[in-house]
Amino acid sequence: MAQTLVNIRMDEELKKNMEKTCQELGMNMTTAITIFAKKMTREKRIPFEVSVDPFYSESNLAHLRRGVEALNAGRGVEHDIIEADE
């Protein structure tokens, strides 16, 4: 089977962490990405759940901004922990 070169850009720290994890699993990044590509091609989908972390919802970020503004203005505010709806 003919081989081809694929270039991707990735955060340097992420790459280092991925290389370490691949090494712990006994493979290299090429093998890991090939496994991903084969599984994605076979299943015709991303082979894992992709979702947004609810912590970064606009309402939670707005709440955090208000808290930072209050602290910067010298008004310490105590409040309950906000739990995101899932």
Side-chain angles (χ1 to χ4, degrees), residues 29-40:
M29 284 181 57
T30 298
T31 301
I33 292 170
T34 300
I35 290 169
F36 170 81
K38 286 182 176 185
K39 188 164 178 71
M40 185 177 189

Side-chain angles (χ1 to χ4, degrees), residues 6-22:
V6 177
N7 293 312
I8 62 170
R9 293 196 179 275
M10 181 183 296
D11 176 79
E12 184 176 352
E13 190 66 25
L14 176 61
K15 179 181 180 277
K16 287 178 186 176
N17 291 337
M18 184 174 177
E19 285 174 328
K20 183 177 182 225
T21 301
C22 286

Side-chain angles (χ1 to χ4, degrees), residues 74-86:
R75 300 183 317 271
V77 178
E78 290 188 33
H79 55 80
D80 294 330
I81 295 174
I82 297 175
E83 293 186 24
D85 295 330
E86 290 188 26

Side-chain angles (χ1 to χ4, degrees), residues 11-67:
D11 176 79
E12 184 176 352
E13 190 66 25
L14 176 61
K15 179 181 180 277
K16 287 178 186 176
N17 291 337
M18 184 174 177
E19 285 174 328
K20 183 177 182 225
T21 301
C22 286
Q23 182 180 13
E24 290 169 359
L25 293 169
M27 67 177 84
N28 58 32
M29 284 181 57
T30 298
T31 301
I33 292 170
T34 300
I35 290 169
F36 170 81
K38 286 182 176 185
K39 188 164 178 71
M40 185 177 189
T41 301
R42 186 173 44 252
E43 296 179 7
K44 304 286 190 237
R45 65 180 191 90
I46 296 176
F48 48 82
E49 182 179 334
V50 178
S51 62
V52 176
D53 186 340
F55 178 82
Y56 297 101
S57 68
E58 188 53 44
S59 62
N60 199 34
L61 290 175
H63 179 79
L64 292 170
R65 284 187 209 102
R66 289 190 301 273

